[in-house]
Amino acid sequence: MQRKLFSSLIVGAALAVTAQAQTVDTSEWVCEFCPFEDGHRAHFEAGATNVSEDSAYFGDATGYDEDGAYANVDGSGMYTGANTRLRWLAEDLGLDSRVIELDGRLPGSLDFNLGYRELPRRQFNTTATIFDRSGSDTLSLPSGWANAGTTSGMTQLASSLVPLNIERDRSIFDLGAGFVASDRWRFSMDYRRQDQDGLKITGGSSFAQASLLPMPFDYVTDEIDIAVRYDVDNGFIAVGWYLSDFSNDNSALTWEQPYSFDPLIGNDTFAIAQAPDNQFQQVSLQAGYSFTEQKTVVSLSAAIGDIEQDASMLPYTVTSSVPTSPLPRTSLNGSVDTTNFALAVTSRVIDKGRIKFSYRFDERDNNTAQDVWNRVIVDTFASTALETNIPYSFERSSLSLSADYDLLDTVRVSAGYDRKDIDRDFQEVAEQTEDIGWGRLRWQPTSALELDVRGGASERDIDSYNEVFAASIGQNPLLRKYNLAYRYREFGDLSMSFSSDKYSVTLNALYADDSYTDSELGITSGEELRVAADFNWTIAENASLYVTAGLEDMESKQSGSEAFAAPDWSATHDDDFTTVGVGFRIRNLAEKVDLQMDYLRSDGASEIIVDTALGGPSEFPELESVLDYLRFRLSYRQSERLELTLNLLYQRFKAEDWALAGVRPATIPVVLSLGAEPYSPDVYAIGIGFRYRVGAHTKD
Amino acid sequence: MKLLIQAVFIAALLLMAVPSAHGQDAEYSRKGADTCIACHGDAEIMTLFHTKHGAPSNSQGPFGDGQLQCEACHGPGGAHAGRVRRGQERPSVIRFVADSATPVEEQNGMCLACHQNDVGFSWHTGAHPGDEIGCADCHDLHASADAVRQTSTQPDVCFTCHQMQRSETRKAFSHPIFEGKMDCMGCHNMHGDNAATQLARLNVNDTCQQCHAEKRGPYLWEHAPVSEDCGLCHAPHGSNHPGMLTKRAPLLCQSCHSQSGHPSIPQDAGGLAGGSPSQFLLGQSCTNCHSQVHGSNHPSGSRLMR
């Protein structure tokens, strides 16, 4: 493999010399048959689509969330001038998922890109709330509301519910530029702004009850990425600066308590904090070098960063009658230092083999000062316990070493060893290591057939599980958190491919088996099987067909202890997923017609069984999500420039979800929900339109 | 032996860079692209002239003034275009197709001759070249619009090999990849990066927080797994569960929380809507109350309820 790598480099270098030297006499290469473009070339597509019914699921990301007619315009084009090339793209201009892009090269070796993209997220359109959202960050009860201890006692509930869609919109604006100042120097700059606003569902709790709240939010994230790069022969070095600045217009969400409250305390209004403004800056260094003589390539990345968060805090409570001590500080003055380092080296040590080494280091050092806080429990009464904030920090490193060897012309064997270390502060496990060993065999008897098999095992170990610390945060000492626990894993994967002029078949499979043998409580085992396959058939020069399939089975087992002692219950969580896709393409049928059809069926099913010492096994109804998706497109070429199009889209999605099914706002006695229902859209969309090409002038 | 062949090959390439005494390199065709187009003028090939590779205004490109046109990428075509005796196989140029006689590394070398600086050296240390992935396996240089460079079509190119990830994106809860509104490059750097799984930034959280910066904090009350690795609770390519969670709450939460009282109580099917509806199971499950699972900046938010 490494031999090939260096061949690439050397061939590349040689050809670069060839091209740069321009030693070939091209004076007679006039290229009179070359249809060089000059001016504009573009196509526009316009049409109307009718959507059969309202559906948040169908409209999610697409913008087709309501029934009725949509007008839409798409297009793309290119402008070619003497020293300028511009490319533009417009998609879904009539929808909430519109995209506009412009990029190109201007005189003076200046590349640029400009883009605007909208992304509608539609979560539920079956929801309803009692809250009046007249204030952006305040939810008020309707007039005449009768508070009650449980939802069933809320006499005004049914009459107060107002339909409210849970949805949000994201828009992304980006501007980038790159400038090649010389053979050695390059500069690049990217700016991106993401605006996101809408509603999220968030839980707001009182002492023994909760309300699901439609929380308005208004986020802006600005990112700037600037880099300067210097190229040397066979290598480069670059430094960069990255800024990500997040701001949220809403610092809190306040809501009036719909449940009964103590008039003496006056806890009729509650507040939760929203995501605070924060800023991340990072300075980075990247370098790469090819030691051609030594047949070695080195690539390095290093970065140091700083996350700051100093948004003003809310008071301990909005309930004025609850006595509170002064806040230790009014804003967090939070600061996290980050360090990243990565080094990768590949080298061909012998003719038939190569070695690869990589090392990564990743540190999050949370320097936020600790203080003692005296919380007010759900805006109702002061806690008697003082609490100290915990600034989590960790160091994570990963070392990887692998080697390939060409045993035969058709057989390559590989082996590798990985070592991962994580050191953490303020957690049950301070030091954790994982050793991974694997072997791989690749057999390629012909260029058309390839078989690749890999297998290995890993052992994740810990210095000790600090049960004293676990007890200090109230954990059962027998629990082993799955990301901190000892784990032994066996894994293997297989891939196979065959191709001919007409057919290609590929198959990938993966298996992993996890044992958490030291865990009495928590996850005790896990098993995963994934298989995916493709079949492609080129039926004729203008016709092709494909079939895709995928299967997944992921099962995990865990234990718990209701008695806060030894395990007295267990649970099995089994996720299955199958998907099948089939489609065809036919082009130039009777030199006029293009046909395209894609059908997809995906079936997700999750089975949960909870087995308790007292009650025995309890099997939940299957969580199921079945998607049928059909897309058909026909285009008829009326002329060289004009095409007529017909689009048909059908989607049926059926979800069985016990967390939502039958859960109306008053179903749970102590949770006032929004009544979201499982998705069950059965939607079709039919669109007609035309596509028109313009331009495509060629130079004489 | 192979080293010798390689050395001879390299020497031959370098010799190509040296002009002959007559200023004419016989290896190349006599008329450049006109020679090629005489036989290869198919529409699918000629769409190259819709791209910047086919633009004479691109001075560094194959069709810039004095450049080698088709042979800039396909290599010297003199022998290929020349006469062949009856029964003799026509010498091939470098072809960028699956059954090409040209080794992948040589194909890639042609691209890297100009694009090494664009691609970066981590390409060589990344996973793709190790698996003999050619540039042309992903890029279609002759197409008017290269599918892998457009958000709506890029995932299908990646899924040609990454079929399991394609399956995952078809799950009920996933990023809007299936809808063509997000591409793989939003999170991964296909040309190789020194980050694990070729992430766009140097670790998982930095990558996720490009779009989910509200989760970044640091919060007064942090949730330890959140600051460490989003993947501890979320399956970024897709899941059967809302929020792309790896499993259903409350079992997901109970994997790590065993405090006395409700975190340790098993929630069975008796708590569903048809039985005794449980606040620990239905609606948002644990997050009905502990809604600030990504962290809280509220001074009373230590239990992630504020």
Side-chain angles (χ1 to χ4, degrees):
Chain A
M1 185 62 60
Q2 193 64 19
R3 181 179 56 224
K4 297 169 189 269
L5 158 69
F6 286 100
S7 296
S8 297
L9 283 169
I10 294 164
V11 170
L15 288 165
V17 171
T18 307
Q20 285 167 11
Q22 298 186 2
T23 54
V24 182
D25 180 2
T26 58
S27 58
E28 291 186 34
W29 292 23
V30 292
C31 215
E32 59 183 357
F33 299 142
C34 299
F36 293 126
E37 291 198 343
D38 188 24
H40 292 95
R41 173 174 55 82
H43 87 263
F44 298 92
E45 188 164 348
T49 299
N50 188 67
V51 175
S52 64
E53 69 171 81
D54 293 352
S55 166
Y57 194 85
F58 188 68
D60 187 37
T62 66
Y64 288 119
D65 52 326
E66 295 178 355
D67 67 350
Y70 292 79
N72 200 11
V73 176
D74 299 274
S76 68
M78 181 85 82
Y79 169 78
T80 305
N83 293 303
T84 304
R85 284 182 66 77
L86 298 175
R87 182 197 70 92
W88 64 269
L89 171 78
E91 286 180 356
D92 297 334
L93 293 186
L95 306 176
D96 289 341
S97 55
R98 59 188 59 83
V99 175
I100 300 171
E101 293 176 357
L102 176 67
D103 61 62
R105 169 165 284 198
L106 301 175
S109 297
L110 178 69
D111 292 312
F112 78 98
N113 62 277
L114 184 66
Y116 177 78
R117 176 178 295 267
E118 292 183 2
L119 183 61
R121 300 315 307 257
R122 306 288 180 249
Q123 193 174 359
F124 291 111
N125 64 349
T126 51
T127 35
T129 183
I130 60 166
F131 291 104
D132 174 17
R133 298 185 307 114
S134 51
S136 63
D137 57 0
T138 301
L139 303 177
S140 306
L141 292 170
S143 59
W145 178 258
N147 298 64
T150 61
T151 52
S152 58
M154 295 174 178
T155 54
Q156 302 301 306
L157 177 55
S159 60
S160 302
L161 288 170
V162 177
L164 179 72
N165 293 349
I166 302 299
E167 57 190 36
R168 57 190 188 275
D169 291 288
R170 185 191 291 261
S171 65
I172 304 165
F173 169 80
D174 63 79
L175 171 65
F179 177 62
V180 181
S182 70
D183 286 347
R184 300 288 191 188
W185 289 98
R186 291 178 174 219
F187 303 91
S188 65
M189 188 282 294
D190 287 290
Y191 167 74
R192 184 165 76 153
R193 164 167 281 212
Q194 296 185 65
D195 280 280
Q196 202 184 166
D197 59 27
L199 295 174
K200 290 181 178 181
I201 298 178
T202 195
S205 54
S206 51
F207 184 63
Q209 305 106 339
S211 304
L212 295 185
L213 308 170
M215 182 178 80
F217 66 97
D218 191 352
Y219 300 159
V220 177
T221 305
D222 290 302
E223 289 174 282
I224 299 173
D225 211 339
I226 296 174
V228 181
R229 174 180 164 133
Y230 183 74
D231 292 327
V232 297
D233 294 341
N234 295 331
F236 80 98
I237 186 167
V239 293
W241 175 70
Y242 172 72
L243 166 73
S244 172
D245 184 275
F246 168 78
S247 64
N248 183 359
D249 262 6
N250 300 324
S251 60
L253 174 66
T254 302
W255 75 101
E256 292 181 339
Q257 162 73 310
Y259 294 95
S260 304
F261 57 89
D262 187 338
L264 294 176
I265 300 175
N267 55 338
D268 57 348
T269 303
F270 299 144
I272 60 173
Q274 287 220 37
D277 297 356
N278 65 66
Q279 193 179 70
F280 175 45
Q281 292 191 69
Q282 191 177 55
V283 177
S284 63
L285 170 75
Q286 282 194 302
Y289 195 81
S290 166
F291 297 89
T292 316
E293 298 261 325
Q294 290 77 22
K295 302 166 184 173
T296 300
V297 175
V298 178
S299 177
L300 178 146
S301 302
I304 53 171
D306 173 44
I307 308 172
E308 301 284 342
Q309 191 271 98
D310 201 24
S312 297
M313 285 186 193
L314 301 179
Y316 275 122
T317 179
V318 290
T319 307
S320 56
S321 65
V322 177
T324 58
S325 51
L327 291 172
R329 51 192 198 263
T330 55
S331 63
L332 184 64
N333 195 18
S335 174
V336 174
D337 292 335
T338 64
T339 305
N340 309 97
F341 176 81
L343 174 70
V345 182
T346 58
S347 182
R348 178 162 65 109
V349 287
I350 56 173
D351 186 42
K352 291 188 172 185
R354 72 162 183 173
I355 58 170
K356 183 175 174 181
F357 164 85
S358 69
Y359 175 76
R360 296 189 188 94
F361 175 79
D362 198 11
E363 181 183 15
R364 180 186 197 265
D365 185 9
N366 191 339
N367 299 308
T368 304
Q370 290 185 278
D371 263 317
V372 176
W373 305 80
N374 190 4
R375 78 173 164 128
V376 172
I377 299 173
V378 289
D379 285 297
T380 302
F381 50 88
S383 167
T384 55
L386 299 175
E387 295 171 320
T388 302
N389 58 301
I390 301 174
Y392 292 107
S393 299
F394 65 82
E395 286 182 10
R396 183 167 50 196
S397 65
S398 164
L399 182 149
S400 177
L401 185 64
S402 64
D404 299 331
Y405 184 76
D406 291 340
L407 203 59
L408 302 168
D409 285 345
T410 57
V411 177
R412 174 178 300 154
V413 291
S414 311
Y417 167 75
D418 297 347
R419 162 91 178 194
K420 297 179 180 178
D421 291 86
I422 307 181
D423 294 350
R424 302 179 176 91
D425 287 345
F426 304 115
Q427 295 198 53
E428 291 85 341
V429 173
E431 295 178 15
Q432 177 177 304
T433 61
E434 183 171 13
D435 296 286
I436 306 163
W438 55 269
R440 181 179 179 187
L441 173 72
R442 184 175 164 194
W443 180 50
Q444 191 171 15
T446 70
S447 63
L449 179 64
E450 183 177 333
L451 181 69
D452 197 339
V453 184
R454 193 174 77 112
S458 74
E459 184 177 40
R460 191 173 71 190
D461 208 350
I462 57 177
D463 58 342
S464 67
Y465 203 92
N466 190 335
E467 294 181 2
V468 175
F469 177 83
S472 73
I473 53 175
Q475 295 275 21
N476 187 317
L478 299 179
L479 175 84
R480 297 292 180 266
K481 294 180 177 176
Y482 65 91
N483 64 318
L484 306 178
Y486 171 86
R487 183 187 69 189
Y488 180 75
R489 166 176 287 180
E490 293 176 342
F491 60 89
D493 53 63
L494 176 148
S495 69
M496 191 174 64
S497 65
F498 170 77
S499 61
S500 69
D501 289 347
K502 284 186 172 290
Y503 309 101
S504 71
V505 181
T506 55
L507 172 77
N508 282 294
L510 177 152
Y511 175 74
D513 185 0
D514 294 346
S515 300
Y516 298 81
T517 50
D518 288 353
S519 300
E520 290 190 66
L521 297 180
I523 292 182
T524 54
S525 68
E527 199 172 10
E528 177 179 355
L529 173 67
R530 298 171 189 241
V531 181
D534 284 3
F535 169 69
N536 291 282
W537 179 21
T538 304
I539 302 166
E541 196 175 332
N542 67 335
S544 62
L545 178 145
Y546 72 84
V547 180
T548 64
L551 177 152
E552 288 183 24
D553 183 1
M554 291 181 288
E555 182 181 292
S556 73
K557 294 182 176 174
Q558 66 188 88
S559 295
S561 175
E562 186 173 7
F564 199 71
D568 55 19
W569 63 268
S570 63
T572 303
H573 189 285
D574 188 0
D575 274 352
D576 294 326
F577 181 73
T578 55
T579 178
V580 176
V582 59
F584 66 79
R585 309 276 185 275
I586 300 174
R587 290 181 290 116
N588 284 327
L589 193 63
E591 298 190 346
K592 289 280 187 186
V593 175
D594 290 349
L595 288 173
Q596 173 182 341
M597 192 281 286
D598 302 280
Y599 170 73
L600 171 70
R601 182 177 178 88
S602 295
D603 188 346
S606 299
E607 294 176 358
I608 295 173
I609 300 172
V610 175
D611 192 353
T612 62
L614 288 176
S618 169
E619 186 170 350
F620 282 73
E622 193 170 76
L623 293 161
E624 189 162 28
S625 52
V626 181
L627 170 70
D628 287 292
Y629 180 89
L630 175 71
R631 181 172 56 194
F632 177 80
R633 179 180 170 96
L634 180 150
S635 59
Y636 176 79
R637 260 183 300 285
Q638 177 75 19
S639 68
E640 198 171 311
R641 294 194 180 275
L642 179 65
E643 281 180 27
L644 305 177
T645 60
L646 170 67
N647 288 289
L648 172 66
L649 203 56
Y650 172 75
Q651 185 186 76
R652 186 176 70 90
F653 185 78
K654 184 72 178 168
E656 302 285 347
D657 185 344
W658 44 253
L660 301 177
V663 181
R664 308 309 309 146
T667 300
I668 313 170
V670 292
V671 178
L672 175 59
S673 83
L674 296 170
E677 296 174 6
Y679 305 109
S680 59
D682 195 348
V683 186
Y684 62 86
I686 297 176
I688 54 170
F690 68 89
R691 180 183 165 104
Y692 191 75
R693 292 188 181 84
V694 297
H697 301 294
T698 55
K699 277 184 179 174
D700 295 330
Chain B
M1 182 62 187
K2 289 202 171 180
L3 192 65
L4 179 65
I5 294 170
Q6 196 175 57
V8 170
F9 178 64
I10 294 162
L13 284 168
L14 290 170
L15 282 172
M16 286 178 214
V18 180
S20 68
H22 305 288
Q24 175 66 51
D25 191 326
E27 295 279 346
Y28 284 85
S29 64
R30 291 178 56 201
K31 293 187 176 180
D34 284 338
T35 309
C36 309
I37 293 171
C39 297
H40 301 288
D42 317 6
E44 288 183 2
I45 289 176
M46 299 301 273
T47 48
L48 175 78
F49 295 100
H50 296 173
T51 74
K52 64 181 177 185
H53 277 119
S57 59
N58 180 5
S59 61
Q60 304 291 315
F63 286 85
D65 187 31
Q67 301 289 351
L68 296 173
Q69 300 177 359
C70 308
E71 290 158 88
C73 300
H74 292 281
H80 175 74
R83 290 176 181 273
V84 292
R85 292 179 183 165
R86 182 172 298 172
Q88 181 187 349
E89 189 175 349
R90 181 173 294 279
S92 177
V93 292
I94 296 171
R95 298 171 66 229
F96 300 87
V97 293
D99 62 347
S100 173
T102 308
V104 170
E105 74 277 11
E106 193 179 334
Q107 296 175 37
N108 289 353
M110 300 305 291
C111 305
L112 292 170
C114 295
H115 293 287
Q116 177 67 73
N117 289 336
D118 303 321
V119 170
F121 281 72
S122 49
W123 162 260
H124 300 290
T125 54
H128 281 138
D131 284 335
E132 295 193 351
I133 304 300
C135 306
D137 287 332
C138 303
H139 292 281
D140 187 349
L141 277 305
H142 280 263
S144 297
D146 186 8
V148 80
R149 299 187 60 147
Q150 296 188 53
T151 294
S152 57
T153 50
Q154 182 189 93
D156 281 340
V157 177
C158 303
F159 293 157
T160 307
C161 297
H162 299 280
Q163 299 157 332
M164 292 184 197
Q165 284 72 22
R166 175 179 55 209
S167 291
E168 290 179 276
T169 63
R170 293 173 173 178
K171 291 181 177 176
F173 302 94
S174 66
H175 283 109
I177 296 168
F178 177 71
E179 292 81 2
K181 299 300 179 185
M182 184 174 170
D183 56 29
C184 307
M185 213 168 79
C187 300
H188 296 280
N189 181 351
M190 293 76 160
H191 288 143
D193 207 331
N194 290 320
T197 63
Q198 300 192 183
L199 288 169
R201 301 206 70 83
L202 282 169
N203 61 33
V204 172
N205 283 22
D206 286 357
T207 302
C208 301
Q209 288 161 3
Q210 291 179 112
C211 294
H212 303 285
E214 74 277 10
K215 312 285 195 299
R216 185 162 49 210
Y219 286 94
L220 169 62
W221 305 106
E222 295 193 315
H223 191 190
V226 176
S227 48
E228 185 173 314
D229 186 343
C230 306
L232 290 172
C233 297
H234 296 280
H237 292 128
S239 164
N240 285 354
H241 308 291
M244 289 186 269
L245 291 172
T246 52
K247 63 164 63 172
R248 231 0 124 110
L251 289 178
L252 175 62
C253 307
Q254 289 175 317
S255 301
C256 292
H257 294 281
S258 63
Q259 285 87 349
S260 179
H262 68 264
S264 289
I265 296 173
Q267 302 297 325
D268 62 25
L272 299 183
S276 303
S278 168
Q279 67 270 31
F280 302 116
L281 197 59
L282 304 178
Q284 307 269 305
S285 186
C286 305
T287 60
N288 284 331
C289 295
H290 301 278
S291 53
Q292 307 284 60
V293 286
H294 294 109
S296 170
N297 210 47
H298 193 296
S300 294
S302 62
R303 300 296 190 273
L304 306 182
M305 296 163 74
R306 283 291 182 268

